[in-house]
Structures are given as C-alpha cells and as structure tokens.
Amino acid sequence: MTTKGKVLVLVSSGHGLPLKDGKVYTGAGYYLNELTVPVRALMKEGYEITFANPKGNTPQMDVHSAVADFFGGDEAKLQDYLKFRDTLTGLKNPTRISDVIASGLDQYDAVFVPGGHGPMMDLLDDPDAGTVLRHFHKTSKPTAVLCHGGISLLAALPNSTEVVAALSAGDAAGARAKAQGWIYSGYKMTVFSTAEEQQREPLEIGGKVLFYPDFALRTAGGDVSVVAPWQSYVLQDREVISGQNPFPSDRTARRLAFRSTLRPSASEPSSTGAQSEKGVGFSGIRGLAHFWCVRRFSLMPPENRASVGHPPR
C-alpha cells in the first residue's frame, strides 16, 4: 500500500513522574485523546506511523485520560478510541529510539510528540530523542509538540541532563547558563502553562511538579507565550509547531487538518517569523493541534466550551 509518508511519534518509557517532596505520580503517561485522535487522523490521510520510545517498552496511558469528559462527554466516542488504541500494535511494541536512528531518520517526514506527563519523565533529557530533534531541525522537517510534549525540545541540548537537573533543583540561573546554544533559542513556542498545571496538580497528580514546562522552555531560551487556561493556542515558528491546549470543535478540526502535504511548499518562506493558527504551510502537522479538541472538558470554564477564544495575531 502506497503511503503519503512516514511520521515518527515519540512516547515515554516512564512509569512514574517525580514530584516535589519525594512524591511520585505513578499514573503518568500519554493522554488518550492527545495521542489517538491525531494518530488516527494521520492514518486516515494515508500516513504511516512509527512509535518509538527510549526503552522499547509499552508506554503507559495516563490513568485520568480514559474518561468520556475528554471526548466531549461522549462515552461511545471514548470506547471507540480505546478500541482504536488497542489496534495500534506499534504502540504496544514501540521501536527503541536508538534503533529508529540506526535505521535512518531521512525516511520520516515529520516527528510528533503528544502530551500527558510522559515526556516530563524521560524524553526531556533522553540523548536519542535529542538526536532525533536535532535531525529534524537540521533538515527543517515539521516537528509538532502538544501540551507537555513541548518539554521534549530540551532533549536537543547536548547537556540536557544537566539543564533538567538544574531546573529540578530550582536553579534557574544555572539552567539558563547551561542551556546556552540551544537550537530552539528564540523560537516562538507554546506549551502547557503554569496556570493550567496548577489547576491539575491537586485534581490529578496529587503533588507539585518539579518545574513548570513554560518556565523551563523560557529559561532555556525559548520565546514562550501562553494564553488564559483552556484557550486554544497554536504557534508555528520555522519547523516547530506547538500547541498549548487547543479546544476547537470537531468540525473545525476536520476543516483545518490535513489540507496539504506534511512538507512545506516551495513557495513557503523560510524566515523566522512565527505564524499563529491562521499561518500557512505545514497544514498536516498543524492539524494535529487542532485535532486535540477534547482535552479536559471538565476543567474548562463553561463559557469557554461554546466558543473557544483565539489570541490576536
């Protein structure tokens, strides 16, 4: 069967998110909708998916994500996506990232890192994940990150372990100094916000994270912006497309997703100017963010459920 291309999806190997005061959130992993909704859409469009993680073990789904609230309150939709998840043999038996690198990264058209706290357990300082990200940066291929997935961009630092250790210790100055030369320094990007995380901490993870993703990326040199909790926000700067927590309707998602090839068109400028949700190019991967449309419905204020706000251009 002929495919439109290949997309590499990076997931976590971890089974416990370290928290402050020695606590551990054992239920951490990928969020069901953040992974399955974009992947299913990509597959329907004809893209071949390769799942990979550091250890080649089955990744864990976050225990709080398999509820109907995150699928518009539709229990049937939740069950449908759970069944779809169970058909993903590559997710059950992912390839080691090191083996993906050995087989050649040129075969992939894009890389995607979904959210959930999984990336904060290991992808953020995994050296092989860093090799992947540096390759996609060098070749200017789409790099899509959603929610906590954005923290994985730190892995592109050759000394990412040191930077993460400094962040975990509360040493912002030390982390900033160690992050000099980050390939994404100055990139406009978004990620799950401190305000959103602080809402979740008592409700889901039962503790305080070691550091907040937006603070970490900003400290490393990213030009990070976030909007009010649970508002839709997607940014593109060069090859990187990042989503904070977009929550548009399914109809909007279908209309915006997958209108063009994964690769930028020849006419697309290669400047450093960032584009918000109305930007051109990379429509297939930007669609991932728009497909992430059912996130944390129970936490979103009622007035935002009917009409999701968008930041000004």
Side-chain angles (χ1 to χ4, degrees), residues 32 40 64-84 294 297:
L32 178 65
R40 191 176 203 174
H64 290 97
S65 68
V67 294
D69 283 342
F70 302 151
F71 290 85
D74 188 335
E75 180 67 27
K77 182 178 286 187
L78 165 64
Q79 295 303 321
D80 182 49
Y81 274 93
L82 281 169
K83 290 178 181 178
F84 170 72
V294 289
F297 195 79

Side-chain angles (χ1 to χ4, degrees), residues 52-56 95-104 126 128-129 132:
N53 66 2
K55 297 181 180 179
T95 306
R96 290 178 184 268
I97 301 176
S98 58
D99 291 337
V100 170
I101 295 169
S103 68
D126 181 73
D128 292 323
V132 170

Side-chain angles (χ1 to χ4, degrees), residues 31-34 36-38 65 67-74 77 81 245-250 253 289-298 300:
Y31 246 69
L32 178 65
N33 59 328
E34 294 177 27
T36 58
V37 176
S65 68
V67 294
D69 283 342
F70 302 151
F71 290 85
D74 188 335
K77 182 178 286 187
Y81 274 93
N245 69 333
F247 204 102
S249 69
D250 288 330
H290 290 288
F291 262 99
W292 187 41
C293 61
V294 289
R295 177 148 170 71
R296 289 173 177 71
F297 195 79
S298 62
M300 173 171 275

Side-chain angles (χ1 to χ4, degrees), residues 1 30 123 165 173 204 209 222 242 294:
M1 178 181 175
Y30 64 84
L123 294 183
E204 293 188 9
V209 294
S242 55
V294 289

Side-chain angles (χ1 to χ4, degrees), residues 262-279:
L262 290 173
R263 294 181 182 276
S265 64
S267 61
E268 183 177 347
S270 58
S271 69
T272 60
Q275 299 282 350
S276 65
E277 289 186 0
K278 294 182 181 178

Side-chain angles (χ1 to χ4, degrees), residues 119-120 123-125 133 145-157 160 163-164 167 172 175-176 179-180 182-194 211-226 235 240-244:
M120 294 189 71
L123 294 183
L124 77 173
D125 60 357
L133 291 168
V145 291
L146 293 183
C147 187
H148 294 86
I151 201 69
S152 65
L153 297 176
L154 292 179
L157 285 161
S160 57
V163 174
V164 170
L167 288 166
R176 188 175 296 110
Q180 293 299 308
W182 188 37
I183 59 175
Y184 302 116
S185 180
Y187 271 59
K188 295 184 183 300
M189 60 182 68
T190 190
V191 70
F192 203 61
S193 71
T194 295
F211 53 83
Y212 295 109
D214 53 350
F215 172 78
L217 295 182
R218 193 175 290 116
T219 299
D223 184 358
V224 180
S225 60
V226 297
L235 283 175
V240 175
I241 297 167
S242 55
Q244 178 181 327

